[in-house]
Amino acid sequence: LSADQKPIADGLIAFVIYFKSLELNAAEKKQMTEVEHGLGIYIKKLSRGTIDVDISAAVGRVLGALQNRDFAMAMKAQTELVNHHWREHKDWLKGLKFLITIASKKSG
């Protein structure tokens, strides 16, 4: 991963590790499985160079919003990604949405 992509991937991984350590109900556990799957695909695509810098920057905005507990902004950035890049990136965008959903519930 490039120097500007690695902190984004590391930040998302940190959220996954944290939320997996919490008590999750059955639905949240299923969502976390989807989050982990999607994050793995995202990182693999990043490392292969199949995610352009604009998309990576948008994911960075999602991460920044999550870190600031601004879940509305995180969802807005994720929705923009879905609206413009769903066809080619749906395999990881769904997991990103679930990460935001879980973060908004568990970061109170």
Side-chain angles (χ1 to χ4, degrees), residues 11 14 19 59 74 87 92-93 98 101 104-105:
F19 290 125
V59 175
R87 183 174 291 127
W92 59 267
L93 281 170
F98 286 147
T101 302
S104 68
K105 290 182 192 174

Side-chain angles (χ1 to χ4, degrees), residues 1-61:
L1 298 179
S2 71
D4 55 333
Q5 294 170 334
K6 186 160 178 18
I8 296 169
D10 289 347
L12 293 171
I13 290 168
F15 270 105
V16 169
I17 291 168
Y18 172 71
F19 290 125
K20 282 189 68 172
S21 74
L22 301 178
E23 291 283 327
L24 300 175
N25 64 35
E28 291 165 339
K29 286 178 184 176
K30 186 175 180 184
Q31 288 177 335
M32 278 308 300
T33 300
E34 187 70 36
V35 170
E36 287 181 283
H37 178 73
L39 182 57
I41 292 170
Y42 173 74
I43 291 171
K44 187 183 291 185
K45 284 186 170 188
L46 266 182
S47 66
R48 291 180 178 167
T50 58
I51 293 180
D52 71 39
V53 293
D54 292 338
I55 295 171
S56 182
V59 175
R61 287 192 296 278

Side-chain angles (χ1 to χ4, degrees), residues 58-59 61-62 71-86 90 92-100:
V59 175
R61 287 192 296 278
V62 171
F71 307 115
M73 181 58 71
M75 194 59 79
K76 180 181 177 195
Q78 193 272 346
T79 299
E80 289 175 12
L81 282 165
V82 167
N83 289 344
H84 294 89
H85 305 287
W86 178 255
K90 62 185 170 200
W92 59 267
L93 281 170
K94 184 177 178 185
L96 189 62
K97 181 176 181 173
F98 286 147
L99 179 61
I100 298 165

